[in-house]
Protein backbone atom coordinates (compact mmCIF):
# COMPACT_ATOMS: atom_id res chain seq x y z
CA UNK A 1 0.00 0.00 0.00
CA UNK A 2 1.15 3.48 -0.72
CA UNK A 3 1.39 6.00 2.14
CA UNK A 4 -1.72 7.71 0.81
CA UNK A 5 -3.66 4.43 0.80
CA UNK A 6 -2.47 3.67 4.33
CA UNK A 7 -3.64 7.08 5.51
CA UNK A 8 -7.04 6.63 3.86
CA UNK A 9 -7.40 3.18 5.43
CA UNK A 10 -6.49 4.50 8.89
CA UNK A 11 -8.95 7.38 8.47
CA UNK A 12 -11.70 4.95 7.53
CA UNK A 13 -11.00 2.74 10.54
CA UNK A 14 -10.98 5.79 12.83
CA UNK A 15 -14.30 6.93 11.37
CA UNK A 16 -15.84 3.50 11.96
CA UNK A 17 -14.51 3.53 15.53
CA UNK A 18 -16.00 6.95 16.20
CA UNK A 19 -19.33 5.91 14.69
CA UNK A 20 -19.47 2.87 16.97
CA UNK A 21 -18.79 5.05 20.02
CA UNK A 22 -21.39 7.59 18.89
CA UNK A 23 -23.99 4.85 18.49
CA UNK A 24 -23.12 3.52 21.96
CA UNK A 25 -23.61 6.95 23.54
CA UNK A 26 -26.87 7.39 21.65
CA UNK A 27 -28.18 4.12 23.08
CA UNK A 28 -26.94 5.02 26.58
CA UNK A 29 -29.03 8.20 26.71
CA UNK A 30 -32.28 6.54 25.62
CA UNK A 31 -35.12 6.08 28.09
CA UNK A 32 -34.79 2.29 27.89
CA UNK A 33 -31.00 2.28 28.29
CA UNK A 34 -31.21 0.16 31.44
CA UNK A 35 -32.66 -2.85 29.64
CA UNK A 36 -30.34 -5.81 29.23
CA UNK A 37 -30.61 -5.69 25.44
CA UNK A 38 -29.58 -2.03 25.33
CA UNK A 39 -26.69 -2.55 27.75
CA UNK A 40 -25.51 -5.49 25.65
CA UNK A 41 -25.64 -3.36 22.51
CA UNK A 42 -23.62 -0.63 24.20
CA UNK A 43 -21.01 -3.14 25.38
CA UNK A 44 -20.80 -4.67 21.90
CA UNK A 45 -20.32 -1.29 20.24
CA UNK A 46 -17.66 -0.29 22.75
CA UNK A 47 -15.93 -3.62 22.15
CA UNK A 48 -16.06 -3.05 18.42
CA UNK A 49 -14.48 0.38 18.82
CA UNK A 50 -11.71 -0.99 21.04
CA UNK A 51 -11.13 -3.93 18.70
CA UNK A 52 -10.78 -1.66 15.70
CA UNK A 53 -8.30 0.47 17.57
CA UNK A 54 -6.28 -2.52 18.72
CA UNK A 55 -6.35 -4.45 15.45
CA UNK A 56 -5.89 -1.68 12.95
CA UNK A 57 -4.58 1.42 14.65
CA UNK A 58 -1.94 -0.25 16.81
CA UNK A 59 1.68 0.71 16.53
CA UNK A 60 3.18 -0.49 13.24
CA UNK A 61 5.89 -2.20 15.27
CA UNK A 62 3.28 -4.69 16.49
CA UNK A 63 2.01 -5.62 13.06
CA UNK A 64 3.59 -8.90 12.01
CA UNK A 65 5.46 -8.83 8.70
CA UNK A 66 4.06 -10.57 5.65
CA UNK A 67 5.34 -14.13 5.49
CA UNK A 68 4.97 -14.76 1.76
CA UNK A 69 1.86 -16.87 2.24
CA UNK A 70 2.98 -18.76 5.35
CA UNK A 71 0.92 -18.71 8.52
CA UNK A 72 2.36 -16.48 11.27
CA UNK A 73 4.20 -18.20 14.08
CA UNK A 74 4.43 -17.35 17.76
CA UNK A 75 7.78 -15.66 17.11
CA UNK A 76 6.06 -13.20 14.76
CA UNK A 77 3.98 -11.75 17.62
CA UNK A 78 4.88 -8.50 19.37
Amino acid sequence: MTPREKAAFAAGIETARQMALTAAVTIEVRDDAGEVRQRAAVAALQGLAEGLKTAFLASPACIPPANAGKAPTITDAC
Side-chain angles (χ1 to χ4, degrees):
M1 285 170 83
T2 67
R4 188 175 190 161
E5 291 170 331
K6 288 179 186 178
F9 179 78
I13 294 296
E14 179 60 23
T15 300
R17 193 181 76 78
Q18 290 177 6
M19 290 174 68
L21 291 174
T22 300
V25 169
T26 301
I27 292 171
E28 285 179 322
V29 299
R30 291 175 41 156
D31 291 335
D32 62 347
E35 292 181 15
V36 173
R37 182 177 47 146
Q38 306 301 348
R39 291 192 317 236
V42 168
L45 287 164
Q46 290 171 338
L48 171 63
E50 186 60 32
L52 288 170
K53 180 179 176 184
T54 302
F56 295 107
L57 301 178
S59 168
C62 287
I63 298 173
N67 287 341
K70 295 186 290 182
T73 64
I74 193 69
T75 58
D76 295 331
C78 295

